[in-house]
Amino acid sequence: MNVELASLRARARVHAALGDPARLAIVDALTLGDASPGEIGHDLGLPTNLVAHHVKVLQDAGLVARSRSEGDRRRTYLRLVPEVLASLAPPCLDPAERVVFVCTHNSARSQLAAALWRHRVGGPVASAGTHPAVRVHPRAVKVAHRHGLALDPTGTAKIGDVVREGDLVIAVCDNAHEDLAGPAAPVHPRLHWSVPDPVRTDTDAAFEAAYTDLAGRIDRLAPAVVPDSRLPE
């Protein structure tokens, strides 16, 4: 069994263990402090036999550990194993020298994504287009400024002039992803984000929706690319 498959199976066991409301309640109860099985049963209104069953499942999944009291040796206490919960996060991606966001015209989504990454995560980042426009869309500049981000209205670029070996390339539109999916394409995105094109609607609300979509995706991606990143609340 390879390491990746073993990791998936271990994570699946943890997910299965958390798939019962009572077991999830036990994990919640142990998040901030330890408790005996009797205390857990009392607090959650569970009979002794059910507590024993659920605790065994959680122990088998590695989520809960048991230790004997240093006072009354007849008592045991349960504690959460937080690193097992942390293992539920997706594994990190291979290290990348730079993140590059691409779309068709490099006038809205890829520009906003790069500005968001620069502001929220930091580190080398760029954007490009498969068929770049002359200028960044005014509404993209407007929504960026509204959120304290800087966009250069003339800063569009062609993908072939930007992407280099070692980049993590992310296509933030369907057209760019499909243009670059063929075997003859010079660049193959590692990830694809199907973010609706705000230019089609051309309203402030559409650009705001694209910004919100991209911000959420970046928040989820950043820990997998920069494990020690600290995103703002």
Side-chain angles (χ1 to χ4, degrees):
M1 182 188 306
N2 62 42
V3 174
E4 184 176 357
L5 180 57
S7 173
L8 287 171
R9 288 183 174 176
R11 289 168 60 202
R13 281 197 302 273
V14 176
H15 279 289
L18 295 172
D20 181 281
R23 291 197 287 273
L24 188 56
I26 292 172
V27 169
D28 286 347
L30 296 174
T31 298
L32 300 179
D34 304 339
S36 69
E39 291 167 336
I40 289 289
H42 178 270
D43 292 345
L44 299 180
L46 295 172
T48 302
N49 62 326
L50 270 183
V51 171
H53 166 71
H54 291 314
V55 167
K56 184 179 186 306
V57 174
L58 293 170
Q59 282 185 284
D60 289 346
L63 278 163
V64 168
R66 188 191 295 261
S67 61
R68 194 163 295 281
S69 168
E70 292 182 350
D72 184 346
R73 301 292 292 175
R74 296 169 298 179
R75 293 172 63 88
T76 60
Y77 290 105
L78 306 172
R79 65 177 178 84
L80 192 64
V81 183
E83 55 267 29
V84 175
L85 272 183
S87 73
L88 295 180
C92 292
L93 296 176
D94 293 336
E97 296 177 6
R98 186 177 58 159
V99 178
V100 179
F101 296 97
V102 300
C103 63
T104 304
H105 299 302
N106 191 214
S107 65
R109 288 164 290 182
S110 57
Q111 292 280 353
L112 289 171
L116 271 160
W117 187 275
R118 188 176 298 111
H119 177 70
R120 299 171 75 90
V121 184
V125 64
S127 70
T130 53
H131 302 87
V134 176
R135 298 177 61 84
V136 178
H137 196 287
R139 291 190 193 274
V141 176
K142 181 178 178 180
V143 75
H145 289 174
R146 186 183 306 133
H147 291 279
L149 307 179
L151 285 188
D152 176 3
T154 62
T156 61
K158 188 171 179 59
I159 190 170
D161 297 330
V162 173
V163 175
R164 56 180 184 249
E165 189 174 353
D167 287 339
L168 169 60
V169 180
I170 303 171
V172 295
C173 84
D174 297 340
N175 285 331
H177 171 67
E178 291 161 12
D179 284 347
L180 300 172
V187 175
H188 298 280
R190 172 72 186 275
L191 298 174
H192 169 217
W193 294 350
S194 186
V195 180
D197 183 4
V199 177
R200 289 178 181 271
T201 307
D202 200 15
T203 64
D204 286 349
F207 279 80
E208 187 68 34
Y211 170 91
T212 301
D213 190 349
L214 290 165
R217 291 174 183 269
I218 285 171
D219 285 356
R220 295 193 296 274
L221 174 66
V225 177
V226 187
D228 61 348
S229 63
R230 296 291 182 266
L231 296 178
E233 297 294 333

